Amino acid sequence: ENARRLLRFFYFERRLMQALGAWTLSIPEFEVKLETGRHIFYHADAARLLRERLSEQENKNKDVDAFRDAEVDRFIEEILSANGAPELLVGIHQVLGRALEVAYRHHCDDTDPVTDVPTIRCLRRILADYEPMLAWADAALAAYIEGGVEESQLAAWRWHLQRLLASIGGVTGSDPRGQEPAPLGTASK
């Protein structure tokens, strides 16, 4: 179960890095574009750390880089269908980033503190980057709202993505599954 969750965490981090990279050029605000570059690095580093941890475990015969998860892909594609940078930040940080942060903290609390110290150390290193990244995103979204972006539109997008994440079992894939929201933004784009 530990390896399965770490593999899913790895795939989320890798897809987050790719998603941010796909959006970077279309973000008009220089400050947001610049900070997004830093976040690409954070997610790439998290994926690297998780990949290294997975290679140390007993499932060495599995090709970590070949792993794919259609549910995660569908969720990331939905985030990519955001209407502008504010919605992208909501999806990447306030929905998925917060969910990953919680999952990483719970994993540290739930795994064996003696035999799985390397996993705990790995996740704590990742969390050290998550705290400033998520705080920045909250401040950036507050600035967007202050600048005239409709808060209710962002709240509706957040709710939509939270429902979609719940429909795939959350970050771990083992949470109770809810109903998928309809329609998905990817269907119209």
Side-chain angles (χ1 to χ4, degrees):
E1 179 60 14
N2 187 35
R4 186 196 66 76
R5 287 182 184 217
L6 290 180
L7 190 59
R8 189 158 160 126
F9 295 163
F10 161 76
Y11 195 63
F12 264 118
E13 292 291 351
R14 192 164 117 184
R15 289 301 320 251
L16 273 169
M17 172 193 63
Q18 294 166 343
L20 284 171
W23 255 86
T24 302
L25 290 176
S26 64
I27 297 173
E29 298 83 12
F30 177 75
E31 297 83 359
V32 178
K33 186 185 299 274
L34 184 64
E35 189 63 24
T36 298
R38 185 185 334 268
H39 296 184
I40 291 169
F41 170 77
Y42 289 157
H43 292 298
D45 195 45
R48 179 189 60 80
L49 290 168
L50 289 163
R51 185 179 187 281
E52 287 174 5
R53 181 64 191 122
L54 283 162
S55 71
E56 296 166 353
Q57 293 183 336
E58 293 181 19
N59 63 341
K60 290 181 185 177
N61 58 344
K62 292 185 180 177
D63 186 4
V64 173
D65 293 324
F67 176 76
R68 300 290 181 270
D69 187 314
E71 291 179 332
V72 171
D73 288 337
R74 190 172 76 249
F75 181 74
I76 296 294
E77 292 300 319
E78 188 68 7
I79 289 176
L80 288 173
S81 75
N83 291 316
E87 282 190 6
L88 177 74
L89 295 180
V90 165
I92 294 283
H93 299 298
Q94 289 190 333
V95 176
L96 186 52
R98 291 272 178 227
L100 282 167
E101 179 189 38
V102 168
Y104 293 166
R105 290 187 191 288
H106 286 182
H107 197 87
C108 288
D109 292 343
D110 294 342
T111 194
D112 189 288
V114 175
T115 61
D116 204 20
V117 169
T119 297
I120 294 170
R121 185 170 185 264
C122 169
L123 293 176
R124 285 189 179 154
R125 286 182 63 195
I126 294 168
L127 284 167
D129 290 335
Y130 264 69
E131 291 171 16
M133 182 170 48
L134 296 177
W136 174 87
D138 288 344
L141 284 163
Y144 274 120
I145 291 167
E146 187 177 312
V149 172
E150 190 62 43
E151 189 171 6
S152 62
Q153 175 188 344
L154 297 180
W157 180 245
R158 184 180 307 107
W159 179 76
H160 170 77
L161 291 175
Q162 287 169 337
R163 287 185 57 214
L164 182 57
L165 185 58
S167 76
I168 65 169
V171 169
T172 64
S174 59
D175 292 345
R177 292 175 181 252
Q179 186 172 351
E180 183 176 285
L184 293 181
T186 53
S188 64
K189 290 194 174 187

